[in-house]
Amino acid sequence: MHVRSFQLSDVSPVTELLQAALSEECYENTMEPFSRQLSWDSDLIVVAEEEGEIVGALIGTIEKNYGCYFRIAIHPDYRRRGIGRGLVSAMESRFQARKVNGIYVVGDEHNAAALPLYEAMGYGENHIFKSVRKLSIVGQ
């Protein structure tokens, strides 16, 4: 597995991945923030590749100098292989390089399945950002 920065040529494969990995409602709630983050700071979107195929993606953002893991998506055929850990570690490094004041997980209902991953990586209950509407990538 190789984790790297999002590239413009990844738009279509990442969109397909999001459709395959997320529920329909979650996908619909993710596309606008994904587009917004792309236009603001695409360096906070990372992808995981295996044999040239994108199998995972993590959309992050920075809000008031706090890093936020917004949405993680792993293709169903590639889950439980450490891809999520690799994506979170890569994003964590990016947040730390930007000297954020802290790092949080967006705690909306669509991230419930990923919470055990974040908890295993040290992001417990006190690192859950529950007020997702306040994120500028989400809009009002």
Short mmCIF file of all heavy atoms in Angstrom, two decimals, residues 4 89 108:
data_model
loop_
_atom_site.label_atom_id
_atom_site.label_comp_id
_atom_site.label_asym_id
_atom_site.label_seq_id
_atom_site.Cartn_x
_atom_site.Cartn_y
_atom_site.Cartn_z
N ARG A 4 -0.46 8.64 -0.60
CA ARG A 4 0.09 9.82 -1.27
C ARG A 4 -0.93 10.95 -1.28
O ARG A 4 -2.11 10.75 -0.96
CB ARG A 4 0.52 9.48 -2.69
CG ARG A 4 -0.62 9.04 -3.58
CD ARG A 4 -0.21 8.93 -5.03
NE ARG A 4 -1.24 8.42 -5.89
CZ ARG A 4 -2.28 9.11 -6.35
NH1 ARG A 4 -2.46 10.37 -6.01
NH2 ARG A 4 -3.16 8.55 -7.15
N SER A 89 -2.44 8.21 9.73
CA SER A 89 -1.05 8.59 10.07
C SER A 89 -0.52 9.65 9.12
O SER A 89 0.14 10.60 9.55
CB SER A 89 -0.13 7.36 10.03
OG SER A 89 -0.46 6.48 11.07
N ASP A 108 -19.99 12.96 13.16
CA ASP A 108 -21.36 12.84 12.64
C ASP A 108 -21.74 11.36 12.56
O ASP A 108 -20.92 10.47 12.75
CB ASP A 108 -21.52 13.56 11.30
CG ASP A 108 -20.79 12.91 10.14
OD1 ASP A 108 -20.17 11.84 10.32
OD2 ASP A 108 -20.82 13.48 9.04
#
